[in-house]
Amino acid sequence: MTDLQIQLLALSAVLTAMVAFAGYQLAPADPGGVVPPKRAWRWAGVSGVAMMADIGMVHELLGLADGTPSAARVGAVGIGVLCAAFAALVAYAVERGTERALRWRATAAAFTAGMVVVTVVMKIAN
């Protein structure tokens, strides 16, 4: 493994833990105001898996398995990630007025869906 791959793996582990913690905290409560532990852990798990999928797509798009990517590839992937972030921002704005947890879930789903579209388009283009 190259140094860049090792650094990305470490960054992936840290980011996944942070997002899983955020998912645990965002789990919606029952009408009594209590969040069942099973639901909280489910939200944490789904958040972590989505984050690992997003990082895996970026890893694949950059072609890190083949070594250091070219500047053109990094730029194209950066633009794709920004497009996915814009889709997430639109989803966040559209979900105004809904419960906080559901709003963030829609935002995260839109980002991951955007990353899937970017991955498919880049794989077709290359």
Side-chain angles (χ1 to χ4, degrees):
M1 291 183 83
T2 66
D3 288 343
L4 184 61
Q5 291 172 328
I6 293 169
Q7 291 169 353
L8 182 67
L9 183 62
L11 178 67
S12 300
V14 170
L15 288 176
T16 299
M18 290 170 54
V19 169
F21 179 74
Y24 186 88
Q25 295 297 317
L26 284 172
D30 284 339
V34 176
V35 178
K38 187 175 181 180
R39 182 181 304 150
W41 283 111
R42 186 177 331 122
W43 275 65
V46 169
S47 301
V49 167
M51 185 65 184
M52 284 305 293
D54 292 336
I55 292 172
M57 285 184 267
V58 170
H59 183 278
E60 178 61 29
L61 288 173
L62 288 175
L64 292 177
D66 302 328
T68 305
S70 67
R73 182 179 280 284
V74 170
V77 172
I79 290 171
V81 170
L82 287 176
C83 289
F86 180 73
L89 179 65
V90 169
Y92 184 81
V94 168
E95 291 291 322
R96 184 183 0 227
T98 60
E99 185 182 344
R100 178 181 72 150
L102 300 178
R103 187 176 192 187
W104 279 107
R105 182 172 63 182
T107 303
F111 181 79
T112 301
M115 285 300 299
V116 169
V117 169
V118 168
T119 302
V120 169
V121 169
M122 295 261 312
K123 286 298 178 179
I124 290 172
N126 289 331

